[in-house]
Structures are given as structure tokens and as C-alpha cells.
Amino acid sequence: MSTTTTVTTAPASAPVQVGDQWYPIRRTAEALLAPIAALAGAAILFSIFLLCLGASPADFLDLVWRGAFGSWFSIQNTVQRAAPLLLTALCVAIPGQLGLVIIGGEAAVVLGGLAATVAALPLINTSPIIVWAAMAIAGSAMGAFWVGISGWLRAKLNVNEVIASLVLSYIGLALFNHFVEGLLRDPASLNKPSTYGIGDENMLDTVPWLDVHPGLPIGILACLICWVLIYRTSFGFASRVTGGNIRAAQLQGLPVTKLILLACAIGGGCAGLAGAIEVAAEYGRSNASLNAGYGYTGILIAFLARFNPLAIMPMAILLGGLGAAGGLLQRRMGLPDATIQVLQGLIFVSILASDTLYGRFRWFQPRGGA
Amino acid sequence: MTHAISVEAVGIGKHFGTFHALSDVSLKVTPGTVHGLLGENGAGKSTLVKCLLGYYKADDGGFIVDGREASIERPADADALGLGMVYQHFTLVPSMTVAENLVMSRQNVPSVINWRSEIAGLKQFMERMPFKVPLEVEVGSLAAGERQKTEIIKQLYLERKFLVLDEPTSVLTPQEATEMLGLVRGLAHSGTLTIVIITHKLKEVAAFVDEVTVLRRGRMAGSGLVKNLGPSDLTAMMIGEPHAPKNPERKGAPSGEARLAVSGLRTAEDSGRKGLSIDSLIVHANEIVGIAGVSGNGQKDLVEVLGGQRPIASGSMQVDGAPYDASREQSQAHDVRVLPEEPLRNGCVPPMTVVDNLNLRSFDLGSGKSRRSWLDRTGMATRARDMIAAYGIRTPSPQAPIGVLSGGNVQRCVLARELDGDVRLLIVANPCFGLDVKAVAETRARIMAARNGGTAVLLISEDLDEILELADRVAVMHEGEIVHEMPAEGADPQEIGRHMLGHHG
């Protein structure tokens, strides 16, 4: 007795209607125009702010352009800042697909860097390739573990992941300082406590021909892979279903716990890798320089990009450029250092506010009966 | 005692943007009568009464209350005229007593309440009422029927002379409904109140209503004295066709081994509500088992358990003789599907596209029953296009987010997805809630077609008529337990109603 049924013909009443073929294009346009409008809005607000300070918005724009993209040196500076931001933004964007807000990327960066250093130290006399591989694996594993804790707490104990990841971030930074200033400290580092170095021969060089930070191609590759993961695989689809409506996901029997753990681990792995690359390309050792706020700026970028890995790329460049221009602005316009942070804050608030624009304008909406 | 007043709406028009919710609708309610306001979902019934009660401002037309032209701009105006409404969902505060609720509902509550004199006043007031409710009892502990009565008492306490009841029997058992409508009719005919009942139940109209006004798609479809109108006249006015769609035909008898077997099922207590305690529940192939019960007696928990949204404390669920835990692997292996109530909230991902939503069951399935890691986007689009065609889903684009579709079309999407391919066990919860007559008929026909094709169906519904129409067997739930089971054929609604309230024997 195993009769089953296939219902394909039944009292269908409405005619098939598949009109409005341009809708997907208009939807994309909406998704592009809303953040552009938000950036324009932030620029206007910031101009008013500058005028209040007695500074000229035009000069400001000019200086930002020169400081961020105006010369080969400034482009390199921008890229160097953008490279880790690509990865730390992914640390927010991947769990973000499941509706989680992970703000603990900073700890994943520093602990990832520390783990990479520790993994490299016993291998410094082998070959650079082996050292780099060990650093990459150790760094991302450490980041995956650290952010994974927040995911585990969320999935198993229903602890709010925002609070958990924030608190774990403080703990992570404390652990990092403890090791760098204690057990792993190189006695030769006097003013700035640091671990032993991985050796000059094991440092990652800039990208051949282009002469840019080696984190850039890795970060871009990671963004592309994550985009494919989110939009082209079953894992990504299930994650988006869970993020869109967890009740529907449960009804479909999707393994929500597993998805949360995996997404947090992948995100944390990206941030940990960022730390490993910073050590291998910039500092050669772990010290307080790693704790440069990349994790926090990554949150901003992920929200600006609405958690889309492709959109993270331009946004990381934009914010990397603003950071690179900071020093120039300070020197030339006599503006306080925090001015850039004011601009970042305005951009953030405008982008969040622009979420309310979606669906407001009829032109972008699907047309025809329903 | 107040005295009933006449209310007349003349040529009411109301539009939202380009959508005309009401055009040139008139309503004439004779004092001291029960007037039925009939129509399908979306016909404009609630828009009309909202205009009358001042929640909306009508764009055209006017109102005549008690023989005088009245301008109703805001709820306070309707209040002053003695117009009131009892909503479908209760508006009493459950944690307060009846007396507290009554006093708090007044316009002029003093800053310091002298409860002794208030209670004395309420007792005197209650003496004059045609039916009584206990004053000192918390509203939360009252049965649905009692709460409904309290709502009406509240309106009388506020000295309303005209009262609108919005689908007043939707949460009541048949006995409670009959009693309540009898009381309401008595109030009207004694000249205390003029009553308008919003409803779609033609049986209630025939038994308790004096006159009707029928709306269809925001326009007048007819009106008249109930004694001059037959059910087919009313149906014709409501849906534009003389006959409601026929009940779907039942073919074949329940057979074979148990498809779904639940035994000894217990769930944890949930915020003070009793958990489930089901000793045995079995559904066979070719069978619809209907679970009846007053809303809030564990039906929702049961659906959540079977759908994997709620953990069980002990007991077992078996499908085709094998243990079942509602995981994706097992629901796919055994072809178990779920049609949840409120499909947009429980079964769809509103920001994702229609194509994506139609593929929630199958996006990770390859040929045979293998898993796929990469999405087959062409296959998904093709499958969605077939479903859109087969189920007549109206969507502006397959790429539109499902959240923009109308309720009926969301329901079609979920039906199409959950009934796609082989279905061995189907769990259905309140499938017709908020749908119009045609969509209801279509939904029921599809559920029956699945049953006739050999699917085992567990139908959990708060609409007893729906259960009696579709089910082969009826089980009644009360406080998380199945307290009674009987064949649906020849089942007595009164008896089921008694079991729903927990009166056995």
C-alpha cells in the first residue's frame, strides 16, 4: 500500500500571468540607487557640518580625492587599508545572511594574527610557502573558533549574538594583550611589546607588477567566493531562508543550528585570515598594531554593502580611502582627527535610514495584477 | 436602558490611492433590528463600518443617525452618537477583572477610583442586563463565549445604542454561538440596541438576522428582508453566482497501515499554558483526520511539533512505521509536507522571490533523492513556472518578492510547493483563514484531491464546518489532549461542541 499522489491539474481559476519582464532590472537599479542616494545625503549633511566649522566642502572633497586616490602612494595607502576590511566585512556579512549581527570581528583579527604568528615561529627555518600556509590555516581556524563561540551560544543557548560577540571581543583583546606582553613577548621589544618575529625572509611581498598589498587579491577572491557561496549554493540558499524567516526554515526542516555555526565559523575564519595576512605582510610579528579597528570598520562596510559580498569591495575601497586621507586632512585643513569619524558616522546613519526607501517608489515595484 | 437608534449610510465612497474600497454604498439599519452585513473578504465590509465608527473618513456620502445628519470625523464622534463595535479579536485586558475592564473602558475614569461605589454601581447595572457575567473574575479565565458576552455588556455599560459585531461567532463553539446570537437578537427586538452583524455564515443569517445588506468588491450587491431571501439569493449577491462551489468529491476509503502514528506525545508547559499530552493519534492513507477545538487548546503546538518548530519532551512520532523527527532528511525521505496557517508568516520568506519560495522544499534535491550543493537555478525557474501555471498564481513577475502577492496567491504558492510531487503525509492548519469563497473552494478541492490520491491528511482547523466537510474522522482537542474521536459522517456538531469545552460523558 503505497499509493501517493501528484496533483498537477486542479481547479485553477486565474490565468497565467508572467508580465513585467523588466522588474528584475528595476529591482537592481533600486538596490544601487538607494545607497548612492544615502551617500549623497551623508555628503550634504557633512558639508553643513564643515561649513559650521568654517571649512570648505570643496577643499575637503579635493583633499580626500588626493589623499585616497590622487597618487600612486595614496592609492597604495588606500589599498593597504582596504585589504583587511574586505575580510572583516565578510565576518559580519556571512552571519548576517542568517539574520545574525556579529560585531566581534576585532578579536578574531588580533587572535587570528597571534595564532598565525605562533604557528609560524617553529617553522621559520623551513620555506616561506610552508610558513604562509601554516599562518593562513592557524589564523582562520582561530578566527573561526572565536566567532564560532558566539554562534554556538546563539544556536544552543539562545544567547543574543550581539552581546555575546561584543563581550567575547573584549575577552579576546585581553587574551591577546596577555600573551603579547607576557608569555610570547620578545624581550628585545621594549617600547612596544611584541612577539618574536617571523623573519624577513618569511614576509609576504607586495603583489608582483601591481605593487599593492598582498591582502587585496586575497580579499577580493574571498568576496567572490563568498558571493558564490551565498547566491549559488544550497548552503547559501538555506542561510538566506533562515535569515528571511526562521519559522519557515524550521518548517522546511533546515538544520538551523548547523547553519548558524557554519556561517559564524566562515565569517570568523575570514577575519582571522585578515589578522594572519597583516602579520605576514605588514608587521612580521604580533603587537598592538594589529588592534587597528579593522574589525569595527568591517561592521560599517558590511552594513553599507547590505551584506552583499560584491558590494563590500567598493565600500571597502571607499572607507579605506577615507582612512588614508585622514592624515592629509588633518595637516592641510587643520581639522580634528575625528572629522573622518563624523563622516563615517553620517554615512552609516544615512545607509541605515535608506532602508526605509525600499518599496517607497512605485516605479521600482512589480507591475500588473496580483 | 438606552433605546435603539436608526443608522443610515448614504452613498459612501472610500478610496486608498487608486484603489476604490467602497463606491456609492448605502446601508439602512432599522432601529431595534439585527442587520446582517454580508460579503466576501475584501468586499469592503470592514471599511464601511470603519467609516461609520470614525476610524476612516469617508470620501463621499454621509451618515444619518437617529434621523439627523451626523458628521463622523473621528472615533470620538461615533462615541458621542452612541455607536460602538465589538471586534473579532477581543479587546479586554485578560489580567484584569470584568469590573476593572468595565470601569477602565469609560471615557471619564476618575484619577482616584472608589472601587466600592463603582462595584455597587456595576452590580445595579448588571441587575438590569438581560444576561449576566461575573464581575470579580479575571477576564483571562473566562471562556470565549463569556468573554464575548462581556464585550457586549461593556458596550451596553458605555450606553451604546447601536452596535457592530465583527464576525462574532468565529471563536465560539456552536452552542456558544447559538446562545450569543439569541441574546443579541433579544436585545435588539426589545428595543435596547440596534445591531449590525458582519458575517459570512449563511446559516446564522437565516436564523438570527432580520435584514441584510450585501457588498461585493466595494459595491452594493443587494439588500432586503431575510425572510424574503433564500440561501441561493444571498450566495448570488455575495459571489455573483447562484451556487457556492460544490463540496469536493470524496473517493476511496481510508486504508492500510498507519501513515502517521503519534503516541504518548508530551511537550513542556509554555508560559503557563499546558503542554501537549496526546496518547494516540493515527492517520491512514486516503484519510483526512480533522482536529477540532476551541482556539488555543494546543492545536498550534501540535502543528509546530509535526513541523519541527517545537521540541517534544517525550513520546514518539512515526511515519510509515519509522521514527520521525521532522528534520529535512526525514521529511524528504517520507514525503511529509506542511501547510501552515498564515502561510506568509509561517511558510514563506517574504523578501525572497516567488521562484525561491516555490523551491523551498526542493532547492537542495538532485535527481532521485540525492543532495545537491550547487543550486540548479534554471531548474528552479522551470519548476516555479510550471507551478505558477498549474495553480494559476497571479504574480507580476516570478522574480517579485512573495511578500507583494495577495493572500490568496500566497496560499496558492504554498499549496503548489507543498503538494508538488509525491505527498504521503500532509499536515494542514487553518488553510482557508482569510480567503474568499472561490479560493476556499479551490484550497479544499486540492486537499481533497490529495486525499483521494492516497495522501494521509491531518487537518487542524478552528472552523468546525470545514472539518465536517473535509474530514473522514474527527478528533477533538481540549487543553492539549485529544478528548474525543468519532467518524465525521453523521457527527453531531452540538456533541463536538460539548467536547471542545471539555464537557464529556
Side-chain angles (χ1 to χ4, degrees):
Chain A
M1 181 66 236
S2 68
T3 45
T4 50
T5 179
T6 306
V7 184
T8 49
T9 54
S13 51
V16 186
Q17 185 188 359
V18 188
D20 200 3
Q21 56 194 333
W22 301 109
Y23 169 64
I25 293 171
R26 290 205 312 277
R27 190 179 46 170
T28 313
E30 185 183 28
L32 285 176
L33 287 175
I36 290 174
L39 287 176
I44 291 168
L45 288 175
F46 186 67
S47 301
I48 296 170
F49 173 77
L50 284 178
L51 291 172
C52 291
L53 288 178
S56 150
D59 288 354
F60 180 84
L61 206 65
D62 180 52
L63 277 182
V64 167
W65 177 256
R66 278 198 276 160
F69 310 105
S71 67
W72 184 239
F73 172 79
S74 54
I75 288 179
Q76 273 185 321
N77 193 359
T78 297
V79 164
Q80 182 194 331
R81 287 165 189 270
L85 292 177
L86 292 169
L87 291 166
T88 55
L90 288 175
C91 180
V92 182
I94 305 287
Q97 303 299 325
L98 286 128
L100 304 179
V101 180
I102 294 285
I103 58 176
E106 188 72 14
V109 172
V110 297
L111 289 178
L114 184 66
T117 315
V118 170
L121 289 180
L123 302 169
I124 46 178
N125 293 324
T126 58
S127 85
I129 302 282
I130 294 175
V131 172
W132 294 335
M135 290 180 77
I137 291 168
S140 17
M142 185 67 211
F145 169 72
W146 201 254
V147 178
I149 299 175
S150 301
W152 184 84
L153 286 169
R154 167 90 232 187
K156 292 287 184 187
L157 304 177
N158 208 19
V159 176
N160 183 308
E161 79 284 355
V162 183
I163 307 295
S165 61
L166 180 66
V167 172
L168 279 167
S169 189
Y170 290 132
I171 296 174
L173 289 169
L175 278 176
F176 175 80
N177 290 332
H178 173 75
F179 282 114
V180 170
E181 291 168 18
L183 193 62
L184 300 170
R185 179 170 178 179
D186 176 359
S189 61
L190 295 174
N191 293 331
K192 192 173 193 180
S194 303
T195 59
Y196 291 98
I198 60 172
D200 283 347
E201 68 282 11
N202 292 320
M203 293 287 286
L204 267 180
D205 209 349
T206 54
V207 179
W209 300 305
L210 292 173
D211 199 26
V212 291
H213 189 282
L216 186 74
I218 298 174
I220 289 176
L221 192 65
C223 283
L224 293 175
I225 290 173
C226 284
W227 185 85
V228 170
L229 186 72
I230 292 167
Y231 292 103
R232 290 291 182 268
T233 67
S234 296
F235 165 77
F237 192 91
S239 301
R240 286 185 289 137
V241 170
T242 309
N245 184 354
I246 190 157
R247 293 184 65 81
Q250 289 170 328
L251 199 69
Q252 297 292 327
L254 295 175
V256 174
T257 305
K258 209 164 100 187
L259 291 170
I260 289 177
L261 281 176
L262 256 173
C264 286
I266 293 173
C270 289
L273 184 62
I277 293 172
E278 285 306 289
V279 170
E282 292 286 329
Y283 313 119
R285 60 191 71 230
S286 287
N287 57 33
S289 301
L290 265 180
N291 183 6
Y294 289 129
Y296 298 124
T297 311
I299 303 167
L300 180 55
I301 294 170
F303 273 88
L304 294 180
R306 297 173 63 83
F307 300 156
N308 183 327
L310 293 186
I312 282 175
M313 295 191 275
M315 291 302 172
I317 299 284
L318 179 69
L319 286 199
L322 285 179
L328 193 64
L329 288 168
Q330 215 173 336
R331 288 195 303 276
R332 291 285 185 82
M333 294 183 80
L335 290 171
D337 195 24
T339 311
I340 288 291
Q341 281 170 3
V342 171
L343 177 56
Q344 283 191 1
L346 284 173
I347 293 176
F348 195 46
V349 170
S350 307
I351 291 277
L352 290 184
S354 77
D355 264 6
T356 60
L357 292 178
Y358 289 85
R360 281 285 173 88
F361 298 100
R362 191 172 291 179
W363 189 81
F364 294 114
Q365 302 316 308
R367 290 161 194 187
Chain B
M1 279 281 172
T2 53
H3 72 96
I5 52 172
S6 69
V7 169
E8 202 174 331
V10 187
I12 300 297
K14 175 74 194 169
H15 56 83
F16 301 100
T18 57
F19 173 68
H20 287 264
L22 290 174
S23 327
D24 194 20
V25 170
S26 295
L27 170 75
K28 192 171 196 294
V29 189
T30 320
T33 60
V34 180
H35 195 103
L37 184 56
L38 273 68
E40 295 207 69
N41 276 296
K45 293 168 299 188
S46 47
T47 310
L48 178 60
V49 296
K50 277 180 181 161
C51 289
L52 181 55
L53 291 166
Y55 288 100
Y56 292 153
K57 189 173 168 353
D59 296 319
D60 302 308
F63 297 100
I64 301 169
V65 176
D66 204 13
R68 268 187 292 266
E69 195 168 329
S71 112
I72 302 173
E73 301 265 337
R74 56 187 74 87
D77 297 342
D79 224 49
L81 290 165
L83 315 179
M85 177 154 173
V86 173
Y87 294 89
Q88 198 171 352
H89 300 287
F90 300 134
T91 54
L92 297 167
V93 182
S95 58
M96 291 166 79
T97 65
V98 172
E100 286 168 337
N101 266 290
L102 289 178
V103 172
M104 295 309 289
S105 65
R106 279 201 328 238
Q107 287 280 330
N108 56 341
V109 189
S111 327
V112 179
I113 300 171
N114 180 349
W115 282 106
R116 194 172 308 174
S117 72
E118 290 290 349
I119 299 274
L122 280 170
K123 278 191 178 141
Q124 272 187 358
F125 161 77
M126 205 61 93
E127 287 298 308
R128 288 180 278 124
M129 289 296 108
F131 51 94
K132 313 269 178 269
V133 285
L135 282 172
E136 307 281 359
V137 175
E138 272 186 19
V139 167
S141 63
L142 294 175
E146 294 283 303
R147 273 194 229 191
Q148 187 79 277
K149 279 195 226 163
T150 310
E151 294 273 4
I152 294 170
I153 289 276
K154 180 173 114 183
Q155 298 296 326
L156 291 170
Y157 179 70
L158 297 173
E159 305 193 326
R160 309 278 202 225
K161 305 161 199 163
F162 173 89
L163 193 54
V164 180
L165 304 176
D166 187 5
E167 303 266 357
T169 59
S170 59
V171 289
L172 305 182
T173 66
Q175 289 93 326
E176 287 176 325
T178 308
E179 188 199 349
M180 212 274 304
L181 291 171
L183 289 172
V184 163
R185 186 184 164 92
L187 278 175
H189 289 180
S190 70
T192 312
L193 270 175
T194 305
I195 303 247
V196 168
I197 290 186
I198 299 177
T199 185
H200 61 262
K201 294 184 182 170
L202 296 181
K203 275 187 229 158
E204 290 176 357
V205 173
F208 296 100
V209 172
D210 302 309
E211 287 176 58
V212 290
T213 298
V214 186
L215 301 185
R216 189 167 77 231
R217 292 186 186 164
R219 292 174 179 278
M220 292 285 292
S223 61
L225 292 171
V226 171
K227 63 179 185 213
N228 301 334
L229 296 166
S232 60
D233 298 318
L234 292 175
T235 311
M237 288 186 215
M238 271 171 71
I239 65 173
E241 289 164 22
H243 296 289
K246 273 210 214 77
N247 290 353
E249 201 183 341
R250 190 183 301 277
K251 290 185 197 128
S255 60
E257 301 281 299
R259 195 56 72 73
L260 169 71
V262 172
S263 64
L265 178 74
R266 304 280 182 278
T267 61
E269 207 172 87
D270 188 355
S271 50
R273 239 162 16 88
K274 272 187 162 182
L276 289 175
S277 173
I278 294 175
D279 291 325
S280 168
L281 173 65
I282 287 173
V283 189
H284 300 93
N286 267 90
E287 182 181 43
I288 299 178
V289 173
I291 304 270
V294 176
S295 172
N297 272 279
Q299 298 97 315
K300 210 178 210 162
D301 301 19
L302 180 60
V303 179
E304 287 177 350
V305 164
L306 291 166
Q309 294 170 317
R310 180 179 287 273
I312 61 177
S314 65
S316 77
M317 294 191 285
Q318 295 197 315
V319 174
D320 282 325
Y324 182 71
D325 67 1
S327 70
R328 191 164 181 85
E329 288 74 19
Q330 291 192 357
S331 66
Q332 283 175 344
H334 293 289
D335 293 315
V336 178
R337 306 294 176 84
V338 184
L339 283 178
E341 63 179 7
E342 296 183 71
L344 190 64
R345 199 174 85 83
N346 289 310
C348 295
V349 189
M352 289 174 83
T353 66
V354 172
V355 171
D356 287 348
N357 272 286
L358 285 172
N359 281 287
L360 288 191
R361 279 280 169 211
S362 49
F363 69 90
D364 56 352
L365 279 186
S367 55
K369 290 209 165 173
S370 64
R371 303 243 138 213
R372 58 164 55 249
S373 316
W374 296 93
L375 296 179
D376 170 18
R377 307 215 325 141
T378 329
M380 283 168 69
T382 312
R383 200 179 303 131
R385 208 168 49 230
D386 292 348
M387 289 186 196
I388 289 171
Y391 282 78
I393 297 162
R394 281 167 183 264
T395 170
S397 155
Q399 296 299 328
I402 199 165
V404 308
L405 267 54
S406 68
N409 281 302
V410 171
Q411 178 68 293
R412 285 195 189 104
C413 286
V414 177
L415 274 170
R417 180 181 81 209
E418 300 296 319
L419 292 176
D420 180 50
D422 293 340
V423 182
R424 292 177 61 74
L425 173 63
L426 178 65
I427 291 138
V428 191
N430 292 320
C432 298
F433 189 78
L435 299 183
D436 65 29
V437 173
K438 280 182 189 165
V440 165
E442 184 189 327
T443 305
R444 291 184 181 164
R446 291 200 189 267
I447 293 169
M448 186 58 86
R451 173 223 178 264
N452 291 344
T455 303
V457 181
L458 182 67
L459 168 69
I460 294 114
S461 176
E462 281 163 24
D463 179 353
L464 190 53
D465 294 335
E466 176 168 78
I467 288 182
L468 291 175
E469 180 189 323
L470 291 176
D472 296 276
R473 198 146 50 83
V474 183
V476 182
M477 262 185 110
H478 178 67
E479 296 198 338
E481 293 175 42
I482 289 188
V483 291
H484 192 69
E485 252 190 72
M486 73 202 91
E489 205 177 340
D492 173 17
Q494 300 288 327
E495 193 196 342
I496 296 178
R498 271 199 302 283
H499 289 291
M500 281 161 69
L501 289 175
H503 305 312
H504 317 300

